[in-house]
């Protein structure tokens, strides 16, 4: 039931039969409909049917032995029920499927974790924790205090500032963010995330005795309490890919209907609102673009021309070609921006040839490219196009993964 509940549109489903994986497909829709299920499949001897239904697409058939993969994932063989595999584990599974010689293992996650840094936190745990923050629910909407605070902490980390922050500083910096980006009916209580983020396993608090009720602001002030990201979480989030993925995940999970661009700008993470790291700022009619830093490296014009010629100015997403009076027009787009904060390389493997519309959509994270080269719309996960690839154009999949991270597709 847990696996059923945690399925998401866009997830991949593997089909298992006779100890082999025989096909994969993508979840396009989820529904719970008992009458429909009865109509299609009838009922078993206990009058039960298969009412948790999935609409699947992108079916690809193949045939691989399941046992080494299931063993690698510590899933009992044979497989008898629905098993949910985290995206990161899935990557390891793919690794197992393609080169069975050296299965990659990371430290197993240990059971319960107390406040602070007592147990080693691995990357999977971090993303699981970020995606399932326990938030106080008021009315229909979960409070945004914790995710706002985490973004603020990641902003500090990115600027190389102190991990642990004293309560007075925390309050001065976080309270205005809670006021601006929390729900209008949610009270501004910075002591709440300061204290309760510990339950996520990603957060440390020092200087306060006791684990129970939220200390009052005056208690926090008099004890000179300090809080910040846990050591392990900070270590993972210092890596650029993990950081991009964490920011993307927090934004897509908790701020779907908020002004994310403004929020990221306020916590010093403005560059993460686009793949290029450049922030389009609104103007009346004309869009002025300003650079995040003044030291963005200049791109290699030969590579720009090369990629455009390779595709004859045809957009790799939609295939269209913008005509000009004497020639054609296209744009060379870096998958992972070459300036701050992304620091991608200026190489052909990090470039795409796009039409202006798809360049904007790609840069502003409205579309992303999946592992199977389908171009998906970020708002729905729907496949919009198949990425066109020239035989001589080797695209580095790590850059696409980074871009997906920015899109919140971890
Ligand atoms: Zn296009």
């Amino acid at each position: 039931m847990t696996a059923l509940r945690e399925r998401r549109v866009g997830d991949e489903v593997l089909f298992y039969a006779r100890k082999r994986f025989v096909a994969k497909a993508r979840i396009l829709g989820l529904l719970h409909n008992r009458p429909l299920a009865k109509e299609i499949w009838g009922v078993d001897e206990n009058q039960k049917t298969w009412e948790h239904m999935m609409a699947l697409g992108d079916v690809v058939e193949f045939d691989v032995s399941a046992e080494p993969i299931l063993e690698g994932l510590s899933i009992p063989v044979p497989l008898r029920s629905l098993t949910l595999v985290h995206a990161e584990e899935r990557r390891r599974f793919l690794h197992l499927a393609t080169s069975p010689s050296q299965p990659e293992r990371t430290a197993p996650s240990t059971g319960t974790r107390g406040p602070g840094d007592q147990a080693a936190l691995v990357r999977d745990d971090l993303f699981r924790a970020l995606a399932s923050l326990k938030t106080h629910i008021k009315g229909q909407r979960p409070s945004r205090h914790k995710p706002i605070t985490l973004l603020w902490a990641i902003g500090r980390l990115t600027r190389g500032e102190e991990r642990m922050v004293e309560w007075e500083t925390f309050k001065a910096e976080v309270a205005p963010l809670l006021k601006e980006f929390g729900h209008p009916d949610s009270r501004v209580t910075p002591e709440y995330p300061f204290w309760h983020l510990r339950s996520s396993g990603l957060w440390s608090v020092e200087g306060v005795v006791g684990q129970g009720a939220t200390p009052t602001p005056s208690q926090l002030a008099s004890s000179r309490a300090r809080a910040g990201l846990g050591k392990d979480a900070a270590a993972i989030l210092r890596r650029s890919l993990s950081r991009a993925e964490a920011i993307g995940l927090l934004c897509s999970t908790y701020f779907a209907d908020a002004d994310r661009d403004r929020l990221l700008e306020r916590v010093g993470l403005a560059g993460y609102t686009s793949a290029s790291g450049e922030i389009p700022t609104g103007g009346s009619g004309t869009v002025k673009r300003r650079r995040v830093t003044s030291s963005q490296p200049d791109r290699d014009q030969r590579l720009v021309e090369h990629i455009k010629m390779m595709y004859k100015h045809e957009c790799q997403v939609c295939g269209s070609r913008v005509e000009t009076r004497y020639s054609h027009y296209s744009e060379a787009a870096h998958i992972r921006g070459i300036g701050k904060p992304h620091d991608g390389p200026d190489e052909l493997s990090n470039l795409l040839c796009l039409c202006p519309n798809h360049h904007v959509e790609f840069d502003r994270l409205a579309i992303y490219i999946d592992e199977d080269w389908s171009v998906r719309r970020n708002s729905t996960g729907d496949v919009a196009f198949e990425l066109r690839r020239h035989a001589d154009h080797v695209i580095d999949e790590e850059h696409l993964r980074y871009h997906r991270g920015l899109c919140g597709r971890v």
Side-chain angles (χ1 to χ4, degrees):
M1 284 308 290
T2 307
L4 277 176
R5 217 170 28 234
E6 290 178 1
R7 292 165 309 166
R8 295 282 180 274
V9 170
D11 280 355
E12 209 167 51
V13 180
L14 288 177
F15 292 84
Y16 175 89
R18 299 186 194 91
K19 299 187 182 171
R20 303 186 76 77
F21 285 120
V22 295
K24 67 171 184 175
R26 182 78 59 180
I27 301 181
L28 304 180
L30 292 169
L31 56 154
H32 181 193
N33 190 328
R34 190 175 153 80
L36 178 59
K38 266 176 84 173
E39 194 67 37
I40 298 173
W41 295 296
V43 290
D44 66 9
E45 62 271 33
N46 302 317
Q47 293 300 303
K48 288 191 170 164
T49 184
W50 293 267
E51 61 208 64
H52 293 278
M53 303 166 73
M54 299 182 237
L56 301 175
D58 304 343
V59 183
V60 179
E61 289 184 43
F62 52 81
D63 188 72
V64 289
S65 172
E67 203 157 346
I69 294 158
L70 293 173
E71 269 176 18
L73 293 167
S74 309
I75 296 168
V77 184
L79 200 57
R80 295 205 181 280
S81 60
L82 189 64
T83 306
L84 204 71
V85 175
H86 193 261
E88 180 61 23
E89 303 249 296
R90 181 189 161 283
R91 282 192 198 106
R92 287 200 279 143
F93 143 74
L94 277 183
H95 173 83
L96 285 170
T98 49
S99 74
S101 49
Q102 287 266 309
E104 180 189 323
R105 284 177 197 275
T106 56
S109 88
T110 40
T112 52
R113 190 176 306 108
D117 310 309
Q118 288 156 8
L121 181 84
V122 296
R123 198 180 165 285
D124 294 7
D125 299 333
L126 176 109
F127 285 101
R128 220 167 282 143
L130 289 178
S132 55
L133 292 172
K134 272 204 321 200
T135 47
H136 171 74
I137 300 200
K138 175 151 186 178
Q140 293 290 307
R141 299 186 297 187
S143 154
R144 290 180 181 151
H145 285 191
K146 284 182 183 178
I148 289 170
T149 304
L150 285 171
L151 284 173
W152 164 82
I154 296 171
R156 286 185 62 88
L157 198 74
T158 308
R159 293 187 296 277
E161 295 171 3
E162 281 280 291
R163 184 171 60 85
M164 300 298 283
V165 181
E166 242 180 60
W167 162 248
E168 293 293 345
T169 312
F170 180 92
K171 187 174 72 175
E173 294 190 11
V174 175
L177 296 172
L178 301 184
K179 187 166 164 36
E180 187 173 352
F181 300 102
H183 296 300
D185 52 355
S186 155
R187 286 194 306 130
V188 178
T189 49
E191 63 276 18
Y192 181 83
F194 185 93
W195 182 246
H196 289 287
L197 255 176
R198 293 174 313 151
S199 67
S200 67
L202 310 174
W203 193 255
S204 290
V205 179
E206 292 169 359
V208 186
V209 185
Q211 305 287 327
T214 318
T216 63
S218 61
Q219 281 170 332
L220 291 173
S222 62
S223 60
R224 307 198 60 149
R226 292 152 61 81
L229 286 167
K231 275 192 197 125
D232 291 353
I236 297 168
L237 290 167
R238 281 198 188 94
R239 292 182 224 142
S240 58
L241 173 62
S242 300
R243 184 159 68 232
E245 290 179 323
I247 295 165
L249 183 70
L250 283 170
C251 285
S252 62
T253 310
Y254 303 100
F255 301 102
D257 57 349
D259 186 345
R260 290 181 261 192
D261 291 0
R262 168 120 182 98
L263 171 61
L264 289 180
E265 193 173 353
R266 288 277 276 107
V267 295
L269 296 172
Y272 288 90
T273 59
S274 73
S276 62
E278 296 178 14
I279 318 157
T281 51
S284 50
T286 56
V287 176
K288 282 180 273 176
R289 292 177 81 92
R290 72 176 163 85
R291 303 259 178 175
V292 176
T293 68
S294 54
S295 59
Q296 288 233 353
D298 281 331
R299 45 168 51 196
D300 185 340
Q301 278 306 317
R302 287 166 305 179
L303 286 178
V304 169
E305 291 313 313
H306 187 166
I307 189 107
K308 291 178 176 180
M309 288 304 110
M310 190 183 254
Y311 288 94
K312 302 188 180 73
H313 293 293
E314 284 173 8
C315 174
Q316 281 182 261
V317 169
C318 66
S320 75
R321 187 155 82 144
V322 178
E323 202 175 304
T324 60
R325 183 174 178 190
Y326 297 113
S327 178
H328 293 92
Y329 176 84
S330 61
E331 297 183 355
H334 284 106
I335 300 168
R336 176 172 176 164
I338 55 174
K340 294 280 173 204
H342 307 311
D343 297 319
D346 195 15
E347 294 169 358
L348 210 55
S349 64
N350 188 30
L351 277 172
L352 295 173
C353 174
L354 299 177
C355 73
N357 282 354
H358 285 118
H359 188 182
V360 173
E361 289 194 341
F362 185 80
D363 186 46
R364 302 290 286 144
L365 314 176
I367 54 174
Y368 66 95
I369 296 158
D370 218 336
E371 284 172 346
D372 61 0
W373 304 108
S374 50
V375 180
R376 290 178 183 273
R377 204 144 276 292
N378 201 9
S379 53
T380 57
D382 291 346
V383 177
F385 298 93
E386 172 91 12
L387 191 77
R388 290 145 202 265
R389 284 167 296 141
H390 190 281
D392 297 334
H393 185 203
V394 179
I395 300 170
D396 189 330
E397 296 186 36
E398 277 301 297
H399 302 323
L400 292 175
R401 185 176 164 194
Y402 185 93
H403 182 270
R404 283 197 297 274
L406 291 176
C407 289
R409 301 280 171 173
V410 179

